[in-house]
Amino acid sequence: MLFRLSIVGRPNVGKSTLFNRLVGKKLAIVNNLAGVTRDIKEAEAKLNNKKYIVIDTAGLEDAKKDSLQNRMSSLSIMAMSSAHACIFVVDSRVGITGADYTYAALVRRKAKNVIFVANKAEGAAAQPGIYEASALGLGNPIAVSAEHGIGIDQLNEKIQDLMNFNNAFENSLNNKDGIFEDDSLIENTLSDTKVLNPKETNIHISVIGRPNSGKSTLINRI
Ligand code: GDP
């Protein structure tokens, strides 16, 4: 299966511009989910001669139930949670908004891997917004200008890392190298995992890793 990368964020932060930048003009759109005014677009992109799929979502919006925007948001969330990774985009010129906080929390819960990007980062006017973005709890963003092609190498490096990781993970499942001898164990464990209601609980952090990697020592230290 090709690596799938979705692009999410508020409207107007530059998702489509970034999509075009990653896909390039020559590659054709491979899938359009029709029936809505603002489509979810999928296209093939290439990185170091390896193909992957980029998904441009309509964007996450505050919307009333049953409205078109709400349907678009649901589609965007579906695209985000089913992809291997998502690029979460904020606008460094506008700075961080209340909606960005809401969406950052959603992205953290729904996306498998997050690449955090502060777009429109060309020029000095973007600097305060780039620093401010760290407050979203997703680490420091990669400063990018989708329109001017700035920061794209750094973004590509991050995408490549995640593609490599995904390959290694899928190989480990296929090779049955002793860790995941029984896939049903993972499936059952995942389906048994209790989803915590953030309203009812404090922040929970799990510490996982191979036996003997020092998990207990780390927990005791914390
Ligand atoms: P979307 O709604 O998130 O898909 O945003 P668009 O890609 O349609 O872009 C919204 C606006 O931001 C457009 O006017 C773009 O030209 C502009 N834009 C996109 N990327 C950049 C950028 O890197 N720098 C600046 N200054 N403007 C940008």
Side-chain angles (χ1 to χ4, degrees):
M1 185 192 197
L2 286 182
F3 184 80
R4 295 172 64 80
L5 178 68
S6 64
I7 306 178
V8 302
R10 290 193 288 112
N12 261 325
V13 292
K15 295 181 297 298
S16 297
T17 312
L18 185 59
F19 173 86
N20 290 336
R21 173 69 61 182
L22 293 177
V23 168
K25 288 230 162 60
K26 284 182 207 128
L27 289 162
I29 304 286
V30 294
N31 187 18
N32 259 323
L33 291 182
V36 281
T37 48
R38 292 160 68 208
D39 297 351
I40 287 191
K41 286 181 283 179
E42 289 191 15
E44 270 182 16
K46 250 187 183 176
L47 187 55
N48 299 323
N49 273 332
K50 285 264 161 42
K51 282 185 191 167
Y52 68 103
I53 303 282
V54 191
I55 306 150
D56 182 18
T57 69
L60 305 165
E61 297 180 57
D62 290 321
K64 292 206 170 65
K65 244 185 158 183
D66 299 328
S67 66
L68 174 67
Q69 282 89 343
N70 193 282
R71 234 169 63 225
M72 291 309 307
S73 295
S74 308
L75 280 176
S76 297
I77 292 167
M78 215 166 71
M80 168 170 73
S81 53
S82 63
H84 293 101
C86 103
I87 300 180
F88 177 52
V89 187
V90 296
D91 183 333
S92 45
R93 279 168 193 268
V94 169
I96 299 311
T97 68
D100 287 323
Y101 278 99
T102 308
Y103 301 143
L106 188 67
V107 163
R108 241 193 326 261
R109 266 182 291 153
K110 297 281 182 186
K112 295 189 181 84
N113 293 287
V114 184
I115 303 176
F116 184 25
V117 159
N119 189 35
K120 309 191 187 180
E122 76 279 0
Q127 283 308 316
I130 297 169
Y131 292 127
E132 205 182 302
S134 309
L136 290 178
L138 294 166
N140 294 327
I142 302 175
V144 158
S145 171
E147 201 156 82
H148 300 275
I150 297 165
I152 302 299
D153 286 349
Q154 210 192 338
L155 174 60
N156 278 337
E157 264 175 39
K158 187 76 194 166
I159 297 170
Q160 183 68 61
D161 283 350
L162 288 174
M163 283 168 74
N164 292 345
F165 171 76
N166 187 58
N167 275 344
F169 176 69
E170 286 189 350
N171 287 341
S172 80
L173 290 181
N174 293 335
N175 293 342
K176 306 256 188 282
D177 63 1
I179 304 171
F180 299 123
E181 275 168 10
D182 181 2
D183 288 356
S184 64
L185 180 69
I186 309 175
E187 301 298 328
N188 293 341
T189 307
L190 287 179
S191 63
D192 283 351
T193 303
K194 202 170 134 205
V195 179
L196 299 168
N197 180 349
K199 288 198 178 126
E200 290 172 5
T201 55
N202 294 319
I203 290 172
H204 285 60
I205 299 172
S206 60
V207 178
I208 63 166
R210 283 192 290 110
N212 263 329
S213 55
K215 297 180 296 300
S216 304
T217 313
L218 177 62
I219 291 170
N220 289 339
R221 177 66 68 182
I222 292 169

